[in-house]
Amino acid sequence: MSLLRRRKVPEKETTTVPDPEEKKPETCKPVKQSKWSCVDNCCWLIGCICVVWWGLLFSYNMMPSSFPQYVTEAITGPMPDPPGVKLKKEGLQAKHPVVFVPGIVTGGLELWEGHNCADGLFRKRLWGGTFGEVYKRTKAINGMRSSRPLCWVEHMSLDNETGLDPPGVRVRPVTGLVAADYFAPGYFVWAVLIANLARIGYEEKNMYMAAYDWRLSFQNTEVRDQTLSRIKSNIELLVATNGGNKAVIIPHSMGVLYFLHFMKWVEAPAPMGGGGGPDWCAKHIKAVMNIGGPFLGVPKAVSGLFSAEAKDIAVARAMAPGVLDKDLFRIQTLQHIMKMTRTWDSTMSMIPKGGDTIWGDLDWAPEEGYVPSKRKKSNNTENSVHTEDGNVESEAKHVHYGRIISFGKDIAETDSSKIQRIDFRDAVKGNNVANNTCRDVWTEYHDMGISGITAVAEYKAYTAGDILDLLHYVAPKLMQRGSAHFSYGLADDLDDPKYAHYKYWSNPLETRLPNAPDMEIFSMYGIGIPTERAYVYKQIPAADCYIPFQIDTSAAAEGEDMCLKDGVFTVDGDETVPVLSAGFMSAKGWRGKTRFNPSGIKTYIRECDHAPPANLLEGCGTQSGAHVDIMGNFALIEDVMRVAAGATGEDLGGDRVYSDIFKWSEKIKLRL
Amino acid sequence: MSSVLRFRKLCFLEPTKYSSYDEKTKDQKNYENVNTVLLENNPKKKHQKKPPKEWRCIDSCCWMVGYLCTTWWLLLFLYHCLPANLPGLQVPEPPGARLSRQGLTALHPVVMVPGIVTGGLELWEGRACSEGLFRQRLWGGSFTEIFKRPMCWLEHLSLDNETGLDPPGIRVRAVPGLVAADYFAPGYFVWAILIENLARIGYEGKNMYMAAYDWRLSFQNTEVRDQALSRLKSKIELMYVTNGYTKVVVVPHSMGVIYFLHFMKWVEAPPPMGGGGGPGWCAKHIKSIMNIGPAFLGVPKAVGNVLSAECKDVAFIRLLNTSCVYLEHGTLSFPCYLKEETPFGVTWIGLEGDHVCDSAMKKYQQQFDMKGNNTDGRRGFQVQESTKYGRIVSFGKAASELHSSEISGLGSQVYLHNATSPQSLASCGKVWTEYDEVSPESIRRISEKKAYTANTLLELIRSIAPKMMRRAEAHFSHGIADNLDDPIYNHYKYWSNPLETKLPDAPDMEIYSLYGVGIPTERSYVYKVSSSFRCKNIPLQIDSSADGRNGCLKGGVYFVDGDESVREYKHKAPANLLEGRGLQSGAHVDIMGNIALIEDVLRVAAGASGVELGGDRIYSDIMKMSEKINVRL
């Protein structure tokens, strides 16, 4: 429509053609039959198009809303009933109140106070909803003065020092179920689950979306917005108004870590914690059903922080067409993104935790020997697993997943003894060369100078443990802020009083689960999609205003089992979270009574094998295992609904595992 | 482009065959001259055969449409190019910005209680006809569904006739959060302006709360079904704690005022019926209540609504009227049907009782008449003769003006539902209202009584709509208490009537009444009996021919004690159209955009007390009118 208008307006202006009038007197006999001037032609054309458009629009609106479904069913055969309908027939009814904890980037953020350039955006969504609106509106109001996207970046960024609001800007999470039901129009997050829950009687009074500002570090959400207190009070209210039935918590993605933090916070004594007493969780929580939880972090977070090449699902899907386009910001899109995301403390909650013990060192990794094609086979014939194991291992021995970052493909593949590493930790950073020219897009790389950058590249290969040092080296300010809020270690002695500090609360390897023997923990995640696990990097020589490191997309492995593609080593997972991170705690770390789980909370693993949508009409797929699309997975929804209606993990049938998570977990030598 | 043009020309070949010009060649030349550019591509021969300029009907239409669209877009484009503030059209600075410069910052958390009809309602479970509307707004928003499926819409918004709760299989719930009532319909703000100004001095989601409730339900039922009162209590407690133990400022509007009155009694009452907050709860948590446009004692308008569904309600008139027109058959029956099902209307029925309203207004009126002719002018309407405001409903203009002794007062309570005419019941099917059970005979007798005051009115409604009133009387009471210590007043049905409850024991709490004056407001009606008794008609109609509807002030403020601040806002119509709905409006809903009102709310929220605001600000004769009412204090 807008295109039409743009084309039309100039034409009209330019084509006030005088010609027809001049010629008229000469020849015109039938005066009535006026000529087709150019303007008329245009009008005619536009009229035609409009009429056709309206006609189509009209018939579209007249179409019964179930029409697409008919078409789908005609093509693919009858669709299964949505789980809500099915379970309602079985007689399930709403019992336990349900609390949703959204993950990173999926929650909406809205503007409460802004600079001049954001006039007219009061209480409009800056994040989520239609991003397009932000661009359009802002442009329309005063597009001339400043580049609008920059204004947006400015408002979305937090203060570099404090990790809180910059002065004069208040961006707050949207509250209520609308906060994260749809991320963008047509791109559901929680909506399908909500709709199904509603079928068995859920409504606003027994569902609660624990929306929080996902840019802040977890403890800061309490400091600034009292979000944790709010969640506590709401859960208490839900339990009280629903006849004392305990709540079922459903965190997704980073919400998993957030809720882990919450459970520690709520039982901690008052000044730092919520003062709920040591049995708060036991009294109020029936089950925690983690969906795609990055318990041990995701390697993706490293690449995001290191070179802003975050391929985060939501960002890629909703924003890549617009934002990543270099033209949009005129200059240096990635630098702006990096500058913005680096002010978000929460991204640091997902740096891989547990160091080399969990993620493997230069020569070893738990997933070693994983071959994408193998799992499918082993599904069919479980007996043949062992025999295949032997064959495969020899082939795939060269994949060193433990080296999360390696410089150059050869480094990634050679044996550790042949790699010569020069320690970067003591390397002197060069003086700041580019600060003057790159004022706008200042990232901490510009403080490093050439020598610092070279030093980083010289170290060749980084394991999960080295990554932390690397990040401390390249982004000291960021990590200084981050390490006040998060910790990535592995506790030797959980009785150490230092672990009472809140920065350990979101790391499952450094905290104990609450004392709530009746509670159940579910780990539900998708598998069957290649997931980023390790990267091959290259150094870019001209590091003027650019980020000096990039994923070496040319690196790719030959052969069928392409674990290395575009410079990224992939393993099994849900596209974002590797199986290891999502499943390890439930498979081993918390299984039975361990030192991380002193009260013996029961844990279950429910995997969802990924099956891409059969055809386009089906939408996101009812059997998808992708990180966000899994929220529309029928099997997962059914699990959630059964638990919400009162079932226990045993009723669901215990574990449902397709991947090698148990085998991999065995390989990890962790004292329990 | 050129291909499209060629396509057009091909379309034009058609008519040329039928045209019968002799001067083909001549014409042709002309055409060629004009359109050479366009025709370049075409072989010349083709041209020779057709004189192309025939405006067919379709082309004209297309041209017309195109022309309109073009103009429209052009204007739209210009409009968007317009700078936000045209020079000369200076928008006055919002009070929030000014006060923020004066150093006011957010202190007390603010709770907003929306009134009737302004809160949104959304669908959670519905019948088959409502497919695709899950979690869409049925009420509020754009109201498109009324037009698409009116019957379905009405069915879903209606409540069960017996219980006053959800009908089976339908769940319609209040929209939660600030979005519930910031805008009623696009562009028609309710709370949005106030929220925006509060945000300027530092308020945000964590210290503002919109206590949305399902306004169709009786107050106690919002707790029974949705636990709305518990929710409100918990939210207030939470905000009290998370904002550093500062008390809450409550801003109810319209019916929300009564709702909050109910809440205050509920929260201190012991658990099975109440919230169990203990007797000090209000004192501990509430700093002040700033009632906007309160309807403490009810509004006569509600009577008009219940009696004949003539949509005069603030928001109703703007939106439902359109639908009334749309639903040609039985125009008014539909809203009536809806209303009959929902007891909300009943809250409003003159809570006063004769005692308060009738006598006082009469006296006020007489006195007003004596002086009125010389001194009035301020109120904008002159009352020529003594109007009997006490007679809220009168049949025929004559009756409304007669002296009371001349009216034959048949006791309406003797009316029975004799002889329900079976014929009307059978034919009325869907639009069944309780009127159909009332025979024409009794309707005639009702109209014979001529005049109804607030007290007899209750009986009138009871006789016309017995089921509704029976339901309502379980939840609301319309009387006036003689002895407040009587244990019957512990029942929740008395809680929302300020004349039958005590305010909570909270000496530090302040109560403000903020309302607009200066707009003629419905006070009593002249009715006529409509001639036809067909089922689709509601037998009683407001007699629009009678000119007797002189407005009167809503007797808004009358309270038990003198500790209440009264702040009035004079209505001033918007100076020009561009100004929107007026920055100094005093109309019931528009007052929410009144600058002076917003400033008062902001100051109180930032910590000021009523005395600092300057105490009472009164333009009307409310104090005098209050004096006239004989209620034992």
Side-chain angles (χ1 to χ4, degrees), chain A residues 145-176:
Chain A
R145 270 215 299 276
S146 66
S147 169
R148 270 314 165 139
L150 282 181
C151 175
W152 181 78
V153 166
E154 184 189 333
H155 283 86
M156 285 298 294
S157 301
L158 295 171
D159 191 276
N160 210 9
E161 300 287 329
T162 60
L164 294 170
D165 288 325
V169 173
R170 280 186 294 152
V171 174
R172 296 288 179 267
V174 179
T175 53

Side-chain angles (χ1 to χ4, degrees), chain A residues 521-523 586-587 591 603-607 649-650 652-658 662:
Chain A
I521 292 181
F522 295 82
S523 285
S586 290
R591 184 68 42 124
T603 59
Y604 300 94
I605 295 182
R606 307 283 292 173
E607 291 184 346
E650 291 303 331
L652 291 186
D655 293 336
R656 181 179 61 208
V657 177
Y658 304 109
F662 282 116

Side-chain angles (χ1 to χ4, degrees), chain B residues 143-213:
Chain B
F143 284 94
T144 43
E145 289 310 319
I146 300 181
F147 302 103
K148 280 189 181 166
R149 26 191 150 174
M151 284 317 295
C152 181
W153 183 80
L154 281 168
E155 184 187 350
H156 282 84
L157 274 186
S158 304
L159 293 172
D160 191 276
N161 204 15
E162 298 290 328
T163 62
L165 294 171
D166 289 323
I170 291 179
R171 282 185 292 152
V172 173
R173 296 289 180 264
V175 177
L178 290 179
V179 287
D182 54 351
Y183 288 93
F184 175 61
Y188 182 49
F189 70 82
V190 183
W191 294 92
I193 306 275
L194 184 59
I195 292 173
E196 192 173 337
N197 280 295
L198 282 170
R200 283 186 196 264
I201 62 168
Y203 280 91
E204 56 192 58
K206 72 175 175 189
N207 41 18
M208 274 197 278
Y209 176 66
M210 178 77 76
Y213 56 98

Side-chain angles (χ1 to χ4, degrees), chain A residues 373-385 388:
Chain A
S373 56
K374 193 192 80 184
R375 192 177 52 74
K376 299 283 183 220
K377 281 183 219 156
S378 65
N379 273 349
N380 302 338
T381 54
E382 260 178 52
N383 295 341
S384 67
V385 170
E388 272 186 45

Side-chain angles (χ1 to χ4, degrees), chain B residues 151-329:
Chain B
M151 284 317 295
C152 181
W153 183 80
L154 281 168
E155 184 187 350
H156 282 84
L157 274 186
S158 304
L159 293 172
D160 191 276
N161 204 15
E162 298 290 328
T163 62
L165 294 171
D166 289 323
I170 291 179
R171 282 185 292 152
V172 173
R173 296 289 180 264
V175 177
L178 290 179
V179 287
D182 54 351
Y183 288 93
F184 175 61
Y188 182 49
F189 70 82
V190 183
W191 294 92
I193 306 275
L194 184 59
I195 292 173
E196 192 173 337
N197 280 295
L198 282 170
R200 283 186 196 264
I201 62 168
Y203 280 91
E204 56 192 58
K206 72 175 175 189
N207 41 18
M208 274 197 278
Y209 176 66
M210 178 77 76
Y213 56 98
D214 188 338
W215 44 263
R216 300 170 306 157
L217 300 181
S218 70
F219 300 155
Q220 192 68 13
N221 272 346
T222 61
E223 170 67 13
V224 170
R225 197 192 70 182
D226 297 335
Q227 287 84 42
L229 296 173
S230 308
R231 202 168 295 264
L232 179 56
K233 171 168 176 257
S234 149
K235 283 282 158 34
I236 290 180
E237 285 166 355
L238 172 68
M239 289 205 294
Y240 174 70
V241 171
T242 55
N243 287 285
Y245 299 94
T246 48
K247 294 187 200 172
V248 172
V249 172
V250 183
V251 189
H253 172 233
S254 185
M255 190 177 81
V257 171
I258 315 179
Y259 188 71
F260 197 75
L261 216 56
H262 187 92
F263 172 77
M264 285 197 293
K265 292 304 286 186
W266 174 87
V267 78
E268 299 200 340
M273 199 190 280
W281 195 93
C282 291
K284 189 177 162 202
H285 293 94
I286 300 177
K287 173 180 189 280
S288 53
I289 304 175
M290 308 198 71
N291 301 303
I292 300 178
F296 283 120
L297 306 180
V299 288
K301 193 182 262 186
V303 177
N305 251 329
V306 173
L307 209 54
S308 62
E310 296 193 38
C311 340
K312 283 272 182 324
D313 212 343
V314 264
F316 246 44
I317 196 158
R318 297 193 185 227
L319 286 146
L320 265 191
N321 261 359
T322 54
S323 79
C324 288
V325 176
Y326 176 75
L327 304 167
E328 274 179 39
H329 55 298

